[in-house]
């Protein structure tokens, strides 16, 4: 059931109505039913994976907490008899049991994800090695469908499990409530990846109908549909034309395609997140923001603090920090400091932990080498930038340009360009082809296509370009206004006729300027594949 389908609009309309008509104590139960119904419609067999992940996580978390409770009770009851060494040994023993339950569940949940998402990737690489060795043997690919949103709900479940192990949240005693946290349907398409401590309170509490909150939610949903239907789905036609015909569209077309893809990806992904947050807000549920004007970033590192925020913080908290402070890493760092010097030794944990994060980020995005190279490409750019910081500091001491408007614009455009270049691996989905197409920008000199009308031949008319330009201007204007506060609050402070014209006007734009066309079939959100 696509977010952009009439069926989905009917689905959430009925949900909103029932949610505020039924007794409030039953609201979270209705959300659980709605979430599982949504997932059942998407793929009945996929429910098995969702149920397996949920139940394994529930049982392991409860067991981890029970071990912790037993440890505290034992030490309290035997405080006088136990020496300090005995207490320490007992705590380490019980912590080991908790760690065992956590690791067993991690392996189980990640095992499901690995089997359904990465088995055919592994088989293709094994077959490639067999070809290189001259063997005629080949492994058959598995006929297995990738369940919708499996990466999102798996990481959400694992974050909860690790938080229980760390003692930052209590294990949920009601399996059905945990099932709702894992399966909350607006997040299944493309996130955000919520933490139990952030989402649980508003997800389970009772909500009375509040007109302002409900209207704000609908406004956020409408804004998301504007981004998706008017901008993303319209420019998608041009993007597909360029990247699918690699013999015809080379040189400057690659440059145009990667910039068009940057706009499409932003409008598609943030549009979906707007719909998700809008639905949750209309239900009285608080979901974390996932974007903070990323295309205004002045560096790649800053960009990743603003783009897909919940994914970035997940990898930072559950991969980067554990690896960087683990005993083997600290031992390696000490050895490197002794042999290679202080500067090199203290960098090793950062380099290796960041490498693990970006390798995992690439693999998480997709089971193919282009995503691995894309992830490591981000790592290389960030590490080089970090190493060049002393040089940047010297430059800025000599040339005081940091506060100048033109220099800030240069930094923003530079970041957009660098990220667009890296995303060519996402566009072409083949590493050698990506390098060939990227290189064609410098070997096939056809930049006249930017002004000779050739861009009208990639499936976009003059009207399409006009709509896209107007939409881009509106996106930039809203982003600039957001820097000084909520745009919806500003609109809400206006007289009713003004508010009506703004929101009804946006509704008409979505209705009339959405990229439907003859035989329109709504395209799926890009991040649904992850």
């Amino acid at each position: 059931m696509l977010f952009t389908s009439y069926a989905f609009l009917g689905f959430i309309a009925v949900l909103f109505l029932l949610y505020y008509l039924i007794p409030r104590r039953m609201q979270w139960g209705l959300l659980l039913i709605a979430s599982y119904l949504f997932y059942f419609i998407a793929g009945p067999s996929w429910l098995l994976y969702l149920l397996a992940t949920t139940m394994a996580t529930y049982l392991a978390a409860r067991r981890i907490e029970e071990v912790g409770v037993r440890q505290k009770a034992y030490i309290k009851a035997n405080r006088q008899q136990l020496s300090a060494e005995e207490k320490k040994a007992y705590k380490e023993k019980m912590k080991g049991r908790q760690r065992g339950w956590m690791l067993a569940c991690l392996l189980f949940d990640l095992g499901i994800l690995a089997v359904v998402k990465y088995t055919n990737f592994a088989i293709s690489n094994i077959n490639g090695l067999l070809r290189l060795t001259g063997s005629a043997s080949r492994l058959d690919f598995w006929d297995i469908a990738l369940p919708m949103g499996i990466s999102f709900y798996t990481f959400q479940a694992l974050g909860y499990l690790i938080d229980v192990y760390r003692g930052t949240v209590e294990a949920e005693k009601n399996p059905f409530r945990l099932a709702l946290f894992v399966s909350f349907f607006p997040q299944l398409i493309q996130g955000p990846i919520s933490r139990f401590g952030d989402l649980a309170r508003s997800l389970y509490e009772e909500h009375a109908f509040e007109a302002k909150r409900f209207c704000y939610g609908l406004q956020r949903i409408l804004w998301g549909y504007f981004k998706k239907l008017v901008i993303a789905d319209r420019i998608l036609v041009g993007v597909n034309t360029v990247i699918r015909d690699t013999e015809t569209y080379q040189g400057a077309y690659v440059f145009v395609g990667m910039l068009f893809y940057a706009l499409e990806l932003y409008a598609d992904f943030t549009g979906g997140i707007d719909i998700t947050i809008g639905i949750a807000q209309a239900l009285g549920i608080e979901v974390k923001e996932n974007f903070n004007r990323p295309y205004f970033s002045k560096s790649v590192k800053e960009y990743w603090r603003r783009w897909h925020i919940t994914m970035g913080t997940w990898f930072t908290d559950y991969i980067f920090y554990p690896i960087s402070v683990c005993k083997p890493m600290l031992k390696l760092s000490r050895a490197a400091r002794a042999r290679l010097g202080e500067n090199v030794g203290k960098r090793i944990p950062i380099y290796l932990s960041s490498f693990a994060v970006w390798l995992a980020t690439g693999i998480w995005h997709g089971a193919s080498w282009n995503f691995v190279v894309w992830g490591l490409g981000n790592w290389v750019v960030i590490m080089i930038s970090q190493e060049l910081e002393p040089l940047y500091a010297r430059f800025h001491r000599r040339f005081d340009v940091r506060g100048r408007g033109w220099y800030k614009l240069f930094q923003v455009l530079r970041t957009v360009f660098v990220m667009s270049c890296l995303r060519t691996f996402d566009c072409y989905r083949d590493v050698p082809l990506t390098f060939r197409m990227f290189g064609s920008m410098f070997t096939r000199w056809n930049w006249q296509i930017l002004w000779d009308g050739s861009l009208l031949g990639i499936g976009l008319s003059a009207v399409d370009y006009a709509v896209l330009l107007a939409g881009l201007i509106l996106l930039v204007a809203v982003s600039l206004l957001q820097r000084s506060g909520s745009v919806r609050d500003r609109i809400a402070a206006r007289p009713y006729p003004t508010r009506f014209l703004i929101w009804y006007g946006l509704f008409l734009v979505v209705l009339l300027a959405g990229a439907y066309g003859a035989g329109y079939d709504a395209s799926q959100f890009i991040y649904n594949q992850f």
Side-chain angles (χ1 to χ4, degrees):
M1 193 190 313
L2 302 180
F3 270 17
T4 49
S5 66
Y6 293 122
F8 181 76
L9 293 176
F11 178 81
I12 61 172
V14 172
L15 175 62
F16 289 157
L17 182 63
L18 293 177
Y19 187 78
Y20 289 111
L21 286 179
I22 63 174
R24 294 177 195 170
R25 67 179 184 279
M26 300 171 61
Q27 286 176 330
W28 73 265
L30 175 64
L31 290 179
L32 176 60
I33 295 171
S35 297
Y36 269 74
L37 176 61
F38 177 84
Y39 210 73
F40 177 83
I41 293 172
S45 62
W46 295 346
L47 278 175
L48 297 175
Y49 302 113
L50 179 61
L51 284 167
T53 296
T54 302
M55 289 310 301
T57 305
Y58 170 78
L59 293 172
R62 291 282 289 143
R63 186 58 180 161
I64 289 170
E65 188 169 73
E66 288 171 4
V67 171
V69 171
R70 190 192 315 161
Q71 170 197 307
K72 292 178 181 178
Y74 178 81
I75 291 178
K76 182 178 181 180
N78 298 275
R79 182 179 293 116
Q80 303 300 327
Q81 293 83 3
L82 295 173
S83 65
E85 292 76 13
E86 288 173 328
K87 289 179 182 179
K88 182 179 178 181
Y90 182 75
K91 288 180 179 180
E92 290 179 352
K93 175 184 176 181
M94 302 305 281
K95 194 65 175 179
R97 291 184 182 179
Q98 290 180 313
R99 190 181 303 112
W101 280 103
M102 180 193 67
L103 292 176
C105 188
L106 286 175
L107 290 174
F108 180 81
D109 290 349
L110 289 174
I112 295 175
L113 177 63
V115 168
V116 300
K117 190 170 182 177
Y118 302 106
T119 296
N120 285 335
F121 176 55
I123 290 174
S124 68
N125 284 283
I126 293 172
N127 287 341
L129 291 174
L130 291 174
R131 282 194 299 270
L132 288 176
T133 59
S135 173
S137 300
R138 295 292 184 273
L139 298 178
D140 294 330
F141 289 101
W142 288 21
D143 184 16
I144 185 169
L146 182 64
M148 178 183 66
I150 186 171
S151 295
F152 288 103
Y153 74 68
T154 299
F155 273 37
Q156 193 151 299
L158 294 181
Y160 159 77
L161 178 73
I162 297 170
D163 286 345
V164 171
Y165 169 76
R166 291 175 174 176
T168 55
V169 300
E170 295 182 0
E172 175 55 57
K173 296 177 174 57
N174 188 328
F176 297 103
R177 287 161 69 98
L178 181 64
L180 173 58
F181 168 74
V182 175
S183 67
F184 185 46
F185 77 93
Q187 298 185 143
L188 285 176
I189 297 293
Q190 53 186 3
I193 304 172
S194 295
R195 306 291 181 88
F196 189 78
D198 296 328
L199 182 62
R201 181 186 59 81
S202 63
L203 186 63
Y204 303 137
E205 70 181 9
E206 300 174 2
H207 299 283
F209 179 81
E210 293 182 15
K212 180 180 179 180
R213 184 184 64 202
F214 187 77
C215 289
Y216 268 33
L218 295 183
Q219 292 164 6
R220 189 73 181 262
I221 293 170
L222 181 60
W223 180 238
Y225 278 120
F226 168 78
K227 290 180 179 177
K228 170 64 175 171
L229 295 175
V230 177
I231 299 177
D233 283 359
R234 183 178 302 278
I235 203 170
L236 174 64
V237 176
V239 173
N240 284 340
T241 300
V242 170
I243 67 177
R244 289 178 180 176
D245 188 352
T246 56
E247 294 301 320
T248 302
Y249 298 105
Q250 298 185 13
Y253 283 109
V254 178
F255 177 77
V256 171
M258 71 184 196
L259 292 182
F260 279 12
Y261 183 68
L263 177 58
E264 182 215 343
L265 181 64
Y266 174 81
D268 186 285
F269 196 5
T270 62
I273 294 296
D274 286 332
I275 295 172
T276 294
I277 295 177
I279 293 171
Q281 187 173 20
L283 296 169
I285 298 168
E286 298 176 9
V287 175
K288 287 283 188 180
E289 293 289 346
N290 214 25
F291 293 90
N292 181 21
R293 300 180 295 280
Y295 284 163
F296 286 99
S297 303
K298 300 179 183 64
S299 67
V300 174
K301 187 176 182 179
E302 180 187 353
Y303 171 89
W304 280 109
R305 290 198 300 266
R306 293 166 169 255
W307 177 280
H308 207 341
I309 298 169
T310 57
M311 182 199 70
T313 55
W314 197 99
F315 279 113
T316 299
D317 292 345
Y318 300 121
I319 295 182
F320 179 85
Y321 287 127
I323 292 178
S324 62
V325 299
C326 68
K327 291 182 179 179
M329 184 64 72
L330 295 177
K331 184 178 179 180
L332 177 62
S333 178
R334 286 194 296 269
R337 288 170 191 242
R339 297 185 180 184
L340 302 175
E342 182 71 18
N343 287 334
V344 175
K346 70 181 182 181
R347 284 173 166 81
I348 284 180
I350 297 174
Y351 291 160
L352 294 182
S353 301
S354 298
F355 178 87
V357 165
W358 284 108
L359 178 63
T361 302
I363 294 173
W364 181 85
H365 274 81
S368 57
W369 282 108
N370 64 290
F371 286 114
V372 174
V373 175
W374 167 82
L376 295 182
N378 279 277
W379 173 72
V380 169
V381 171
I382 292 173
M383 291 298 101
I384 290 176
S385 298
Q386 188 168 306
E387 286 302 310
L388 292 177
E389 284 181 357
L391 185 62
Y392 296 153
R394 288 173 56 190
F395 172 82
H396 290 304
R397 282 196 298 268
R398 184 169 183 181
F399 304 100
D400 187 17
V401 296
R402 279 177 289 190
R404 308 291 178 84
W406 65 267
Y407 185 71
K408 291 180 180 179
L409 179 61
F410 161 74
Q411 290 178 300
V412 168
L413 294 178
R414 177 191 61 190
T415 303
V416 170
F417 178 72
V418 170
M419 293 308 304
S420 297
C421 290
L422 288 171
R423 284 201 204 95
T424 55
F425 290 103
D426 190 8
C427 292
Y428 293 103
R429 303 295 175 96
D430 179 86
V431 176
L433 176 62
T434 299
F435 281 113
R436 181 164 66 87
M437 298 306 295
F438 186 81
S440 74
M441 288 194 294
F442 307 96
T443 59
R444 185 168 179 177
W445 209 254
N446 57 348
W447 294 91
Q448 72 279 358
I449 64 115
L450 299 178
W451 59 79
D452 68 1
S454 298
L455 293 181
L456 293 173
I458 61 173
L460 297 174
S461 66
V463 173
D464 289 322
Y465 283 110
V467 172
L468 288 171
L469 178 60
L472 178 59
I473 292 172
L474 182 58
L475 286 181
V476 173
V478 170
S479 294
L480 290 173
L481 289 172
Q482 282 177 334
R483 295 189 301 180
S484 56
S486 169
V487 175
R488 285 179 296 176
D489 285 343
R490 293 187 182 188
I491 295 175
R494 299 288 181 178
Y496 176 77
T498 304
R499 301 199 307 269
F500 176 81
L501 287 175
I502 291 173
W503 293 116
Y504 187 64
L506 184 62
F507 172 76
L508 288 179
V509 169
V510 174
L511 190 65
L512 300 176
Y516 308 106
Y520 170 75
D521 180 19
S523 64
Q524 185 55 279
F525 286 90
I526 293 174
Y527 263 68
N528 182 59
Q529 65 188 297
F530 306 136

